[in-house]
Amino acid sequence: MSVSYRRFGTDEIEGVGKIHARVFNDVLTAIGGEPFVDVDDAEDWKRAWERDRKSVFQHMTASEGESWLAERDGEIIGYARSVLRDGVRNLTDFFVLPVRQANGIGKSLLERAFSPEGVEGRIVMATMNAAAQARYLKSGMVPRCPICDFKRRPAKAPFESDLTMERMSANPATFDTLNRIDRAIVGFRREADHAWLLEDRNGYLYRRGEEPVGYGYVGRRAGPFALLDPDDFPAVLAHAETEATAVVNELTFIVPLVNTAAVNHLLHRGFQMDDRSVVLLMSDEPRGRLDRYIVGAPGFFV
């Protein structure tokens, strides 16, 4: 039977999530890690889906963008999904079952979900898989920066700062401030993502006097963080680590390696770089200030 392609919605995300988990498990075991979840164990899958993936999959699929499935004989064999933010298309996930990776399935999915038509730019955090990177390179993507996970058990971290750490709430004034910061640091606005983040974790607006100078999110999952002055990262990350002691046993920051202020602070705090987690930020045009940014976990979108 030939492969067919169609859009999918939020009512199908659990099946899509299982494709993601199967391929992600293969990636993890290939680099010496442990599988993310036993997809064939109903209880293990339910726990992982509800805890780690359901909310973010709902958010991404409901967002403005493109969500496409590849099917053969009624079986989902791959998918690609992107979100559209302020004219920029961000490819959030792209997975094809290993036994189905021939026959141009990946290429066809990318053409549907990651088209350059009608957008100002495109961006993706690509795994180090050579075949996937070759597809992105052929589509006009250019490598910009490696991004790596930094992990440790959080501990209270003393810090001194003239910053005010103010809890955020979802209101028009907050979103206006976040939009201004994102335009300066990320390169595009993404109000829809902030609305979801504020439901998923605690958001903080950082002020120097009355002036907003950045934001960050802390909870069971940390990030994103965006600061106008990179010298503020040690205080902000110390505050985040201290807050995280109440909710997690392992804290992960997903850090662009050009963010030397964050990298140096985390290494001195005893965070370990997970070299198995390295991804490569790729875009068709230079965009944003990654030396002033940390990606939000679980790292599907910038």
Side-chain angles (χ1 to χ4, degrees), residues 175-196:
F175 289 129
D176 284 346
T177 299
L178 295 173
N179 284 338
R180 290 197 301 272
I181 295 170
D182 276 341
R183 288 288 283 179
I185 303 300
V186 185
F188 52 90
R189 297 169 297 176
R190 54 209 185 135
E191 196 167 305
D193 294 327
H194 286 294
W196 174 74

Side-chain angles (χ1 to χ4, degrees), residues 164-165 204-208 211-216 225 227 236:
T164 301
M165 318 290 187
Y204 289 89
L205 193 63
Y206 308 119
R207 295 183 185 271
R208 179 162 282 111
E211 188 66 23
V213 296
Y215 66 77
F225 297 83
L227 301 177
V236 164

